[in-house]
Amino acid sequence: MNEQPKKRDALALALLVGSGMALLLSLLGFGVALLFAAVAMLIGNPDAAQSSWTLSVLLFSLALLTAPGTYLAWRSKRPETHAHGTKLPRGIVVLVFIFPAILAAGAGASSLPGLGWTLPILHVFASAIPVLLGVALVIQRGAPITAIRAWGSFESGLWFSPLLALVLELLLAIPLLILLFLGSADVLNTPELLQGLSQTRGVPDTYLFEQLNAFLSKPWVLIGIFGYLSIAVPLIEEAAKSAALWFTARRHMTLSLAFISGAIAGGGYGLFEAFFLAQPGPDWISLMIARAGASIMHMFAAGLTGLGIGYIVLNRRYARGISMYLAAVALHGIWNLAALGIGLIGLTEVVDSPVISSANSMVISVGSGIILLLMSAGALYGLWRLPHALRRDQSGTGVSDVPSGDSTAAA
């Protein structure tokens, strides 16, 4: 007797609709950007053509990364689709050695005429390799995870979380910037600055740095900027990265799977940032090294938040869950402060009388770089160590790590 097809699960349907829309939008954007690139080449504007080509490559890459989740969600109601462990090959660690090769290839392509078109492609690989390495670590070391849960977590971090965080951060940043500018009217040449920004040629970098230096001469401005970047932004982003996990936490979840799902969502978020916050250019190699560390940090911090959600939903341990979230926020805040410290050195190189002296700026910059390196190594170790420890602890208590039922129930 033939079985009736299973009804599509609500979460699988949400994934299908969300990822399907994201897939269509990214493909549409890819086509438009590619058309603009072709037109720019025909009218003899190579800079515009390169920018459009870069955007088209990034959007096409987003489409490729979105397609698996759409496909899995579409198949989720078929009876033969059952839960299974998703394991990546252990040989994936060779990515550690491929990453420098990609960076070297990017340096060579940027210096050789006619190879500039390869830079966006190399940028995609340089952005994706650290995330893939992190995902490989948590999947290899942690509990078996269904393909639909893994891809659903990744795509929520790739699409939903950045949009949610951007909206919330803008809602907070706009009134904050207005207050800061109004309070700094006595040191800023605001009319000239706005006039320059409205012109096609823009404002010279030297003038922008001078205005920034004057802006930072106000102590309360520094407090506002540091507070926004080290407290408000981490609070928003760490909540946004694992927001989708609240909807799946009761679906055959364990603490190990909660950490893994959060980490994979953080990987999607880090990949989105790496795609669009760092573009091929003179400082591309250093930017991509920094983005690699940032992606690993995003994954570990989001894993901690996911673990906190697991403690709250599964064990009703609210204090433990909130402490995990606050730990993730603290890590993110320290990372942002250190990254801002490295950026201070640019101010001293351009402005004649910087607020922070050249000597102090160098000390801050070097110290910040050391902090970022240590945090990246610590986050990578955490991705390797914590999933295995959680899985071992749950095995000792008789809690199964393997989801039961079909893939829709485990999603």
Side-chain angles (χ1 to χ4, degrees):
M1 183 174 63
N2 294 331
E3 295 184 4
Q4 293 293 326
K6 295 184 179 181
K7 183 179 179 181
R8 192 182 302 277
D9 181 80
L11 289 178
L13 180 60
L15 176 61
L16 176 61
V17 173
S19 62
M21 290 177 60
L23 178 61
L24 291 176
L25 287 174
S26 54
L27 288 175
L28 178 61
F30 160 71
V32 172
L34 194 61
L35 178 61
F36 271 100
V39 172
M41 284 296 295
L42 290 175
I43 63 176
N45 191 339
D47 291 337
Q50 182 67 22
S51 298
S52 298
W53 164 245
T54 299
L55 181 60
S56 68
V57 170
L58 295 178
L59 290 173
F60 185 70
S61 301
L62 287 176
L64 290 179
L65 292 168
T66 306
T70 308
Y71 173 73
L72 289 170
W74 174 257
R75 286 194 47 168
S76 63
K77 71 175 182 179
R78 297 178 61 173
E80 67 270 19
T81 306
H82 295 288
H84 61 281
T86 298
K87 287 290 183 181
L88 296 178
R90 294 185 181 275
I92 207 75
V93 294
V94 300
L95 294 173
V96 176
F97 303 99
I98 295 177
F99 183 68
I102 294 293
L103 296 182
S110 61
S111 61
L112 295 176
L115 291 181
W117 65 272
T118 64
L119 287 175
I121 300 173
L122 294 171
H123 177 75
V124 168
F125 280 101
S127 301
I129 285 174
V131 174
L132 187 55
L133 176 63
V135 170
L137 283 177
V138 296
I139 287 182
Q140 283 286 345
R141 302 279 294 174
I145 184 172
T146 60
I148 192 171
R149 187 194 291 270
W151 279 103
S153 299
F154 177 77
E155 292 185 12
S156 70
L158 185 66
W159 287 100
F160 175 72
S161 298
L163 179 61
L164 177 61
L166 178 62
V167 171
L168 295 177
E169 288 170 6
L170 284 177
L171 289 176
L172 182 60
I174 291 174
L176 177 62
L177 286 174
I178 292 175
L179 289 175
L180 292 179
F181 272 104
L182 290 177
S184 306
D186 57 328
V187 296
L188 289 179
N189 192 343
T190 306
E192 183 177 345
L193 180 62
L194 294 176
Q195 182 181 1
L197 291 173
S198 64
Q199 295 174 355
T200 304
R201 59 185 180 180
V203 181
D205 290 341
T206 302
Y207 182 76
L208 285 176
F209 273 107
E210 290 173 350
Q211 291 291 287
L212 177 61
N213 187 62
F215 192 51
L216 296 178
S217 64
K218 299 278 190 178
W220 60 272
V221 170
L222 285 174
I223 294 174
I225 293 176
F226 288 161
Y228 177 77
L229 292 176
S230 63
I231 299 177
V233 168
L235 282 170
I236 291 172
E237 292 190 357
E238 293 309 322
K241 281 189 292 185
S242 301
L245 191 58
W246 287 104
F247 300 99
T248 62
R250 297 183 183 277
R251 299 296 187 95
H252 300 272
M253 183 67 77
T254 63
L255 293 179
S256 179
L257 282 177
F259 179 86
I260 293 171
S261 299
I264 293 175
Y269 191 94
L271 185 58
F272 184 90
E273 283 194 347
F275 273 1
F276 294 102
L277 293 186
Q279 296 296 314
D283 301 323
W284 180 72
I285 292 180
S286 59
L287 284 174
M288 293 316 298
I289 293 175
R291 289 315 315 172
S295 294
I296 296 297
M297 184 279 298
H298 276 307
M299 293 188 69
F300 182 63
L304 291 180
T305 304
L307 181 58
I309 294 173
Y311 277 121
I312 291 174
V313 174
L314 300 176
N315 300 339
R316 298 294 188 270
R317 299 176 66 178
Y318 296 97
R320 189 68 177 272
I322 293 173
S323 68
M324 289 292 164
Y325 168 66
L326 293 180
V329 170
L331 289 174
H332 196 157
I334 294 171
W335 180 277
N336 285 358
L337 281 178
L340 187 61
I342 291 179
L344 288 175
I345 197 169
L347 191 66
T348 62
E349 293 175 348
V350 178
V351 179
D352 294 331
S353 301
V355 175
I356 302 175
S357 66
S358 299
N360 290 335
S361 177
M362 181 61 69
V363 172
I364 294 173
S365 181
V366 172
S368 298
I370 294 173
I371 290 174
L372 293 181
L373 286 174
L374 291 176
M375 290 187 69
S376 299
L380 191 62
Y381 175 76
L383 292 176
W384 176 81
R385 183 72 180 88
L386 199 52
H388 179 70
L390 290 169
R391 183 180 184 184
R392 183 188 58 202
D393 290 346
Q394 288 170 189
S395 298
T397 59
V399 178
S400 175
D401 282 321
V402 182
S404 60
D406 61 44
S407 64
T408 60

